[in-house]
């Protein structure tokens, strides 16, 4: 229902409502792990809000894509009964895919960049603007958090326990001393959850 318009609501209003919710959720989820990186910046304190704007602008752009996919998915499930019945299998497959992603080079590269200052493998050029540095950090975090974000979407973006759990996972990956181990544990948990979802559907 999250992807459906309210009666009498325009598409523009629906998109705006989702984006406001998405932005608020991303600020609450990402700021605890992103703030230490922002505080390490060697630029003037006034540059911090500009970098944060670039960072969350990337997440807003990601939210637009997620909303479009969610609307298309919901519309297809409502229109075709066979597709609707396959949703539990697709959800399980998505969880498994999120778990497998945790073991890929993309994940590890994104994680290392996300833990580095402003998403840069080395020192960022001084000529880059504060907004560009924020965008770099946001892009690195989007890649790094693709798996947890998929888990969030599948398990329920409106569920406070899911939001809290994913927030803890993201913070652990970015802040704890052994991020690879944390990422792999999350991957195992997601794969197990995906298989359990599929098996539960097969048995009922």
């Amino acid at each position: 229902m999250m992807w459906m318009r309210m009666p009498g609501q325009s598409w523009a209003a629906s998109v705006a409502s989702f984006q406001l919710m998405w932005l608020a959720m991303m600020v609450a989820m990402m700021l605890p792990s992103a703030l230490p990186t922002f505080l390490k910046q060697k630029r003037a304190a006034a540059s911090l809000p500009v970098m944060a704007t670039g960072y969350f602008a990337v997440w807003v752009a990601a939210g637009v894509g997620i909303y479009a996919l969610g609307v298309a998915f919901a519309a297809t499930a409502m229109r075709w009964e066979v597709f609707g019945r396959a949703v539990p299998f697709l959800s399980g497959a998505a969880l498994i895919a999120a778990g497998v992603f945790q073991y890929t080079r993309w994940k590890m590269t994104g994680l290392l960049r996300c833990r580095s200052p402003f998403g840069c493998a080395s020192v960022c050029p001084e000529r880059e603007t504060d907004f560009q540095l924020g965008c770099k950090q946001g892009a690195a975090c989007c890649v790094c958090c693709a798996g947890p974000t998929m888990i969030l979407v599948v398990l329920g973006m409106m569920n406070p326990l899911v939001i809290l759990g994913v927030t803890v996972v993201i913070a652990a990956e970015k802040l704890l001393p052994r991020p690879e181990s944390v990422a792999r544990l999350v991957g195992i948990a997601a794969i197990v959850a995906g298989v359990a979802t599929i098996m539960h559907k097969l048995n009922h």
Side-chain angles (χ1 to χ4, degrees):
M1 295 302 296
M2 180 177 57
W3 313 109
M4 308 298 291
R5 287 184 297 169
M6 298 293 290
Q9 187 181 40
S10 66
W11 277 114
S14 179
V15 172
S17 177
F18 178 85
Q19 285 299 96
L20 286 173
M21 179 201 71
W22 174 261
L23 179 59
M25 187 165 54
M26 289 302 104
V27 170
M29 291 177 62
M30 298 299 170
L31 198 56
S33 57
L35 188 58
T37 302
F38 288 143
L39 293 177
K40 291 177 185 177
Q41 56 91 17
K42 297 180 180 180
R43 300 193 177 195
S47 65
L48 183 59
V50 180
M51 286 186 285
T53 300
Y55 178 85
F56 287 111
V58 174
W59 276 106
V60 167
V64 172
I66 290 174
Y67 180 77
L69 290 174
V71 169
F73 187 91
T76 304
M78 294 286 289
R79 189 172 303 161
W80 293 334
E81 184 179 354
V82 174
F83 187 85
R85 290 179 178 177
V87 167
F89 295 104
L90 296 174
S91 297
L95 289 173
I96 293 172
V100 171
F101 179 81
Q102 294 290 104
Y103 286 83
T104 64
R105 182 175 297 179
W106 285 352
K107 168 66 181 185
M108 296 307 167
T109 300
L111 184 54
L112 291 177
R113 287 188 61 195
C114 197
R115 290 170 66 96
S116 300
F118 308 110
C120 304
S122 59
V123 178
C124 289
E126 290 297 324
R127 65 178 178 273
E128 293 198 52
T129 66
D130 298 328
F131 185 79
Q132 286 175 323
L133 291 179
C135 288
K136 274 193 172 183
Q137 184 69 15
C141 281
C142 277
V143 174
C144 171
C145 298
T149 301
M150 175 69 76
I151 294 171
L152 173 69
V153 172
V154 172
L155 295 184
M157 292 171 55
M158 304 300 291
N159 188 324
L161 293 178
V162 173
I163 295 172
L164 178 60
V166 172
T167 302
V168 171
V169 164
I170 291 172
E173 286 185 346
K174 294 182 182 180
L175 301 177
L176 291 184
R178 300 188 64 182
E180 297 88 351
S181 298
V182 177
R184 287 166 182 162
L185 286 174
V186 173
I188 292 173
I191 292 170
V192 170
V195 172
T197 299
I198 294 173
M199 295 303 297
H200 182 268
K201 179 62 178 178
L202 289 175
N203 292 330
H204 291 79

mmCIF file of all heavy atoms in Angstrom, residues 137-176:
data_model
loop_
_atom_site.group_PDB
_atom_site.id
_atom_site.type_symbol
_atom_site.label_atom_id
_atom_site.label_comp_id
_atom_site.label_asym_id
_atom_site.label_seq_id
_atom_site.Cartn_x
_atom_site.Cartn_y
_atom_site.Cartn_z
ATOM 1 N N GLN A 137 30.628 11.202 -1.164
ATOM 2 C CA GLN A 137 30.368 10.385 0.017
ATOM 3 C C GLN A 137 28.996 9.717 -0.083
ATOM 4 O O GLN A 137 28.838 8.545 0.282
ATOM 5 C CB GLN A 137 30.440 11.241 1.281
ATOM 6 C CG GLN A 137 30.274 10.478 2.576
ATOM 7 C CD GLN A 137 31.445 9.568 2.886
ATOM 8 O OE1 GLN A 137 32.506 9.703 2.277
ATOM 9 N NE2 GLN A 137 31.256 8.654 3.808
ATOM 10 N N GLY A 138 28.007 10.445 -0.582
ATOM 11 C CA GLY A 138 26.675 9.877 -0.746
ATOM 12 C C GLY A 138 26.655 8.735 -1.745
ATOM 13 O O GLY A 138 26.014 7.703 -1.510
ATOM 14 N N ALA A 139 27.380 8.895 -2.865
ATOM 15 C CA ALA A 139 27.438 7.832 -3.880
ATOM 16 C C ALA A 139 28.121 6.593 -3.314
ATOM 17 O O ALA A 139 27.680 5.460 -3.553
ATOM 18 C CB ALA A 139 28.175 8.334 -5.116
ATOM 19 N N ALA A 140 29.218 6.800 -2.562
ATOM 20 C CA ALA A 140 29.911 5.664 -1.952
ATOM 21 C C ALA A 140 28.990 4.939 -0.976
ATOM 22 O O ALA A 140 28.950 3.701 -0.930
ATOM 23 C CB ALA A 140 31.175 6.141 -1.236
ATOM 24 N N CYS A 141 28.221 5.694 -0.196
ATOM 25 C CA CYS A 141 27.307 5.085 0.767
ATOM 26 C C CYS A 141 26.164 4.344 0.070
ATOM 27 O O CYS A 141 25.714 3.303 0.556
ATOM 28 C CB CYS A 141 26.750 6.152 1.707
ATOM 29 S SG CYS A 141 27.890 6.633 3.017
ATOM 30 N N CYS A 142 25.692 4.880 -1.043
ATOM 31 C CA CYS A 142 24.616 4.202 -1.777
ATOM 32 C C CYS A 142 25.066 2.828 -2.255
ATOM 33 O O CYS A 142 24.328 1.847 -2.160
ATOM 34 C CB CYS A 142 24.183 5.060 -2.964
ATOM 35 S SG CYS A 142 23.005 6.354 -2.543
ATOM 36 N N VAL A 143 26.296 2.758 -2.786
ATOM 37 C CA VAL A 143 26.829 1.469 -3.226
ATOM 38 C C VAL A 143 27.044 0.552 -2.027
ATOM 39 O O VAL A 143 26.653 -0.615 -2.036
ATOM 40 C CB VAL A 143 28.152 1.671 -3.997
ATOM 41 C CG1 VAL A 143 28.780 0.312 -4.327
ATOM 42 C CG2 VAL A 143 27.907 2.458 -5.267
ATOM 43 N N CYS A 144 27.659 1.092 -0.991
ATOM 44 C CA CYS A 144 27.954 0.312 0.208
ATOM 45 C C CYS A 144 26.683 -0.254 0.837
ATOM 46 O O CYS A 144 26.663 -1.386 1.314
ATOM 47 C CB CYS A 144 28.696 1.197 1.206
ATOM 48 S SG CYS A 144 28.899 0.471 2.839
ATOM 49 N N CYS A 145 25.611 0.537 0.839
ATOM 50 C CA CYS A 145 24.381 0.167 1.546
ATOM 51 C C CYS A 145 23.317 -0.444 0.631
ATOM 52 O O CYS A 145 22.147 -0.538 1.032
ATOM 53 C CB CYS A 145 23.804 1.396 2.242
ATOM 54 S SG CYS A 145 24.899 2.098 3.491
ATOM 55 N N ALA A 146 23.707 -0.865 -0.575
ATOM 56 C CA ALA A 146 22.722 -1.441 -1.497
ATOM 57 C C ALA A 146 22.053 -2.670 -0.896
ATOM 58 O O ALA A 146 20.830 -2.844 -1.002
ATOM 59 C CB ALA A 146 23.394 -1.787 -2.823
ATOM 60 N N GLY A 147 22.843 -3.536 -0.254
ATOM 61 C CA GLY A 147 22.277 -4.738 0.365
ATOM 62 C C GLY A 147 21.330 -4.417 1.508
ATOM 63 O O GLY A 147 20.167 -4.850 1.506
ATOM 64 N N PRO A 148 21.784 -3.657 2.519
ATOM 65 C CA PRO A 148 20.866 -3.282 3.603
ATOM 66 C C PRO A 148 19.639 -2.516 3.124
ATOM 67 O O PRO A 148 18.551 -2.681 3.691
ATOM 68 C CB PRO A 148 21.754 -2.408 4.507
ATOM 69 C CG PRO A 148 23.138 -2.914 4.289
ATOM 70 C CD PRO A 148 23.180 -3.276 2.831
ATOM 71 N N THR A 149 19.801 -1.680 2.089
ATOM 72 C CA THR A 149 18.645 -0.944 1.566
ATOM 73 C C THR A 149 17.633 -1.897 0.953
ATOM 74 O O THR A 149 16.416 -1.736 1.133
ATOM 75 C CB THR A 149 19.099 0.096 0.531
ATOM 76 O OG1 THR A 149 20.028 1.008 1.129
ATOM 77 C CG2 THR A 149 17.911 0.881 -0.005
ATOM 78 N N MET A 150 18.123 -2.903 0.226
ATOM 79 C CA MET A 150 17.224 -3.909 -0.346
ATOM 80 C C MET A 150 16.491 -4.653 0.771
ATOM 81 O O MET A 150 15.286 -4.907 0.694
ATOM 82 C CB MET A 150 18.018 -4.898 -1.196
ATOM 83 C CG MET A 150 17.192 -6.050 -1.742
ATOM 84 S SD MET A 150 16.002 -5.542 -2.998
ATOM 85 C CE MET A 150 17.115 -5.325 -4.395
ATOM 86 N N ILE A 151 17.205 -4.990 1.829
ATOM 87 C CA ILE A 151 16.578 -5.662 2.969
ATOM 88 C C ILE A 151 15.501 -4.777 3.585
ATOM 89 O O ILE A 151 14.406 -5.243 3.934
ATOM 90 C CB ILE A 151 17.648 -6.022 4.024
ATOM 91 C CG1 ILE A 151 18.618 -7.062 3.455
ATOM 92 C CG2 ILE A 151 16.993 -6.547 5.301
ATOM 93 C CD1 ILE A 151 19.835 -7.318 4.325
ATOM 94 N N LEU A 152 15.789 -3.490 3.702
ATOM 95 C CA LEU A 152 14.825 -2.537 4.252
ATOM 96 C C LEU A 152 13.551 -2.491 3.412
ATOM 97 O O LEU A 152 12.436 -2.540 3.947
ATOM 98 C CB LEU A 152 15.456 -1.144 4.311
ATOM 99 C CG LEU A 152 14.554 0.022 4.710
ATOM 100 C CD1 LEU A 152 14.157 -0.097 6.172
ATOM 101 C CD2 LEU A 152 15.247 1.362 4.458
ATOM 102 N N VAL A 153 13.708 -2.416 2.092
ATOM 103 C CA VAL A 153 12.546 -2.323 1.204
ATOM 104 C C VAL A 153 11.714 -3.601 1.255
ATOM 105 O O VAL A 153 10.478 -3.563 1.293
ATOM 106 C CB VAL A 153 13.001 -2.026 -0.240
ATOM 107 C CG1 VAL A 153 11.829 -2.108 -1.212
ATOM 108 C CG2 VAL A 153 13.639 -0.639 -0.322
ATOM 109 N N VAL A 154 12.386 -4.750 1.264
ATOM 110 C CA VAL A 154 11.672 -6.029 1.239
ATOM 111 C C VAL A 154 10.951 -6.302 2.560
ATOM 112 O O VAL A 154 9.791 -6.711 2.573
ATOM 113 C CB VAL A 154 12.651 -7.179 0.915
ATOM 114 C CG1 VAL A 154 11.948 -8.536 1.078
ATOM 115 C CG2 VAL A 154 13.180 -7.042 -0.504
ATOM 116 N N LEU A 155 11.631 -6.060 3.678
ATOM 117 C CA LEU A 155 11.051 -6.406 4.981
ATOM 118 C C LEU A 155 10.057 -5.373 5.495
ATOM 119 O O LEU A 155 9.265 -5.672 6.384
ATOM 120 C CB LEU A 155 12.161 -6.613 6.013
ATOM 121 C CG LEU A 155 13.092 -7.800 5.760
ATOM 122 C CD1 LEU A 155 14.081 -7.952 6.905
ATOM 123 C CD2 LEU A 155 12.303 -9.085 5.569
ATOM 124 N N GLY A 156 10.122 -4.152 4.968
ATOM 125 C CA GLY A 156 9.114 -3.173 5.364
ATOM 126 C C GLY A 156 9.695 -1.852 5.790
ATOM 127 O O GLY A 156 10.273 -1.746 6.884
ATOM 128 N N MET A 157 9.562 -0.843 4.930
ATOM 129 C CA MET A 157 10.109 0.476 5.225
ATOM 130 C C MET A 157 9.324 1.205 6.304
ATOM 131 O O MET A 157 9.788 2.217 6.829
ATOM 132 C CB MET A 157 10.133 1.324 3.947
ATOM 133 C CG MET A 157 11.112 0.839 2.907
ATOM 134 S SD MET A 157 10.947 1.698 1.325
ATOM 135 C CE MET A 157 11.113 3.401 1.842
ATOM 136 N N MET A 158 8.135 0.711 6.635
ATOM 137 C CA MET A 158 7.311 1.356 7.661
ATOM 138 C C MET A 158 7.402 0.645 9.003
ATOM 139 O O MET A 158 6.741 1.041 9.952
ATOM 140 C CB MET A 158 5.846 1.400 7.189
ATOM 141 C CG MET A 158 5.640 2.091 5.849
ATOM 142 S SD MET A 158 6.194 3.805 5.851
ATOM 143 C CE MET A 158 4.979 4.550 6.926
ATOM 144 N N ASN A 159 8.214 -0.403 9.058
ATOM 145 C CA ASN A 159 8.354 -1.176 10.297
ATOM 146 C C ASN A 159 9.491 -0.598 11.136
ATOM 147 O O ASN A 159 10.654 -0.653 10.728
ATOM 148 C CB ASN A 159 8.642 -2.645 9.954
ATOM 149 C CG ASN A 159 8.601 -3.536 11.178
ATOM 150 O OD1 ASN A 159 9.002 -3.148 12.266
ATOM 151 N ND2 ASN A 159 8.099 -4.745 10.999
ATOM 152 N N PRO A 160 9.199 -0.039 12.307
ATOM 153 C CA PRO A 160 10.255 0.583 13.124
ATOM 154 C C PRO A 160 11.370 -0.376 13.499
ATOM 155 O O PRO A 160 12.537 0.024 13.563
ATOM 156 C CB PRO A 160 9.497 1.060 14.369
ATOM 157 C CG PRO A 160 8.076 1.173 13.940
ATOM 158 C CD PRO A 160 7.869 0.101 12.919
ATOM 159 N N LEU A 161 11.039 -1.650 13.754
ATOM 160 C CA LEU A 161 12.065 -2.624 14.125
ATOM 161 C C LEU A 161 13.014 -2.897 12.968
ATOM 162 O O LEU A 161 14.230 -3.047 13.159
ATOM 163 C CB LEU A 161 11.412 -3.927 14.597
ATOM 164 C CG LEU A 161 10.628 -3.854 15.910
ATOM 165 C CD1 LEU A 161 10.001 -5.197 16.232
ATOM 166 C CD2 LEU A 161 11.538 -3.399 17.050
ATOM 167 N N VAL A 162 12.463 -2.951 11.752
ATOM 168 C CA VAL A 162 13.296 -3.148 10.561
ATOM 169 C C VAL A 162 14.212 -1.944 10.358
ATOM 170 O O VAL A 162 15.411 -2.086 10.094
ATOM 171 C CB VAL A 162 12.423 -3.379 9.312
ATOM 172 C CG1 VAL A 162 13.289 -3.422 8.043
ATOM 173 C CG2 VAL A 162 11.638 -4.675 9.448
ATOM 174 N N ILE A 163 13.649 -0.750 10.493
ATOM 175 C CA ILE A 163 14.440 0.480 10.341
ATOM 176 C C ILE A 163 15.572 0.511 11.361
ATOM 177 O O ILE A 163 16.728 0.816 11.023
ATOM 178 C CB ILE A 163 13.536 1.719 10.487
ATOM 179 C CG1 ILE A 163 12.519 1.781 9.342
ATOM 180 C CG2 ILE A 163 14.384 2.992 10.515
ATOM 181 C CD1 ILE A 163 11.482 2.865 9.515
ATOM 182 N N LEU A 164 15.251 0.179 12.618
ATOM 183 C CA LEU A 164 16.268 0.177 13.670
ATOM 184 C C LEU A 164 17.347 -0.864 13.386
ATOM 185 O O LEU A 164 18.554 -0.586 13.526
ATOM 186 C CB LEU A 164 15.618 -0.105 15.026
ATOM 187 C CG LEU A 164 16.564 -0.180 16.228
ATOM 188 C CD1 LEU A 164 17.305 1.137 16.411
ATOM 189 C CD2 LEU A 164 15.785 -0.547 17.486
ATOM 190 N N GLY A 165 16.921 -2.047 12.968
ATOM 191 C CA GLY A 165 17.885 -3.111 12.675
ATOM 192 C C GLY A 165 18.827 -2.746 11.546
ATOM 193 O O GLY A 165 20.043 -2.952 11.639
ATOM 194 N N VAL A 166 18.291 -2.184 10.466
ATOM 195 C CA VAL A 166 19.124 -1.794 9.324
ATOM 196 C C VAL A 166 20.055 -0.643 9.714
ATOM 197 O O VAL A 166 21.208 -0.587 9.280
ATOM 198 C CB VAL A 166 18.240 -1.409 8.115
ATOM 199 C CG1 VAL A 166 19.088 -0.821 6.983
ATOM 200 C CG2 VAL A 166 17.478 -2.626 7.608
ATOM 201 N N THR A 167 19.562 0.276 10.540
ATOM 202 C CA THR A 167 20.405 1.377 11.015
ATOM 203 C C THR A 167 21.606 0.852 11.794
ATOM 204 O O THR A 167 22.738 1.305 11.604
ATOM 205 C CB THR A 167 19.594 2.331 11.910
ATOM 206 O OG1 THR A 167 18.474 2.844 11.170
ATOM 207 C CG2 THR A 167 20.448 3.495 12.380
ATOM 208 N N VAL A 168 21.367 -0.120 12.672
ATOM 209 C CA VAL A 168 22.452 -0.721 13.453
ATOM 210 C C VAL A 168 23.446 -1.422 12.534
ATOM 211 O O VAL A 168 24.668 -1.320 12.714
ATOM 212 C CB VAL A 168 21.882 -1.711 14.487
ATOM 213 C CG1 VAL A 168 22.999 -2.511 15.150
ATOM 214 C CG2 VAL A 168 21.070 -0.967 15.542
ATOM 215 N N VAL A 169 22.933 -2.140 11.535
ATOM 216 C CA VAL A 169 23.800 -2.850 10.590
ATOM 217 C C VAL A 169 24.697 -1.868 9.831
ATOM 218 O O VAL A 169 25.914 -2.067 9.708
ATOM 219 C CB VAL A 169 22.947 -3.664 9.597
ATOM 220 C CG1 VAL A 169 23.780 -4.093 8.385
ATOM 221 C CG2 VAL A 169 22.368 -4.893 10.284
ATOM 222 N N ILE A 170 24.101 -0.794 9.330
ATOM 223 C CA ILE A 170 24.861 0.197 8.566
ATOM 224 C C ILE A 170 25.933 0.846 9.437
ATOM 225 O O ILE A 170 27.086 1.007 9.019
ATOM 226 C CB ILE A 170 23.915 1.255 7.971
ATOM 227 C CG1 ILE A 170 23.061 0.627 6.868
ATOM 228 C CG2 ILE A 170 24.694 2.446 7.424
ATOM 229 C CD1 ILE A 170 21.961 1.528 6.347
ATOM 230 N N ALA A 171 25.566 1.213 10.660
ATOM 231 C CA ALA A 171 26.532 1.816 11.571
ATOM 232 C C ALA A 171 27.659 0.844 11.898
ATOM 233 O O ALA A 171 28.831 1.240 11.949
ATOM 234 C CB ALA A 171 25.828 2.275 12.841
ATOM 235 N N ALA A 172 27.327 -0.423 12.094
ATOM 236 C CA ALA A 172 28.350 -1.427 12.412
ATOM 237 C C ALA A 172 29.320 -1.610 11.257
ATOM 238 O O ALA A 172 30.538 -1.700 11.454
ATOM 239 C CB ALA A 172 27.678 -2.758 12.762
ATOM 240 N N GLU A 173 28.797 -1.652 10.030
ATOM 241 C CA GLU A 173 29.654 -1.811 8.864
ATOM 242 C C GLU A 173 30.618 -0.637 8.703
ATOM 243 O O GLU A 173 31.770 -0.812 8.304
ATOM 244 C CB GLU A 173 28.811 -1.944 7.597
ATOM 245 C CG GLU A 173 28.108 -3.276 7.444
ATOM 246 C CD GLU A 173 27.391 -3.407 6.121
ATOM 247 O OE1 GLU A 173 27.210 -2.377 5.416
ATOM 248 O OE2 GLU A 173 27.002 -4.531 5.762
ATOM 249 N N LYS A 174 30.153 0.553 9.026
ATOM 250 C CA LYS A 174 30.956 1.749 8.774
ATOM 251 C C LYS A 174 31.884 2.128 9.926
ATOM 252 O O LYS A 174 32.886 2.812 9.702
ATOM 253 C CB LYS A 174 30.030 2.934 8.468
ATOM 254 C CG LYS A 174 29.252 2.778 7.168
ATOM 255 C CD LYS A 174 28.404 4.015 6.916
ATOM 256 C CE LYS A 174 27.574 3.872 5.658
ATOM 257 N NZ LYS A 174 26.747 5.077 5.420
ATOM 258 N N LEU A 175 31.562 1.681 11.125
ATOM 259 C CA LEU A 175 32.293 2.184 12.286
ATOM 260 C C LEU A 175 33.123 1.122 13.015
ATOM 261 O O LEU A 175 34.129 1.465 13.638
ATOM 262 C CB LEU A 175 31.323 2.826 13.279
ATOM 263 C CG LEU A 175 30.491 4.004 12.742
ATOM 264 C CD1 LEU A 175 29.523 4.496 13.810
ATOM 265 C CD2 LEU A 175 31.388 5.140 12.259
ATOM 266 N N LEU A 176 32.728 -0.139 12.976
ATOM 267 C CA LEU A 176 33.455 -1.168 13.716
ATOM 268 C C LEU A 176 34.790 -1.497 13.052
ATOM 269 O O LEU A 176 34.963 -1.286 11.848
ATOM 270 C CB LEU A 176 32.590 -2.424 13.838
ATOM 271 C CG LEU A 176 31.346 -2.306 14.738
ATOM 272 C CD1 LEU A 176 30.643 -3.643 14.848
ATOM 273 C CD2 LEU A 176 31.712 -1.776 16.125
#
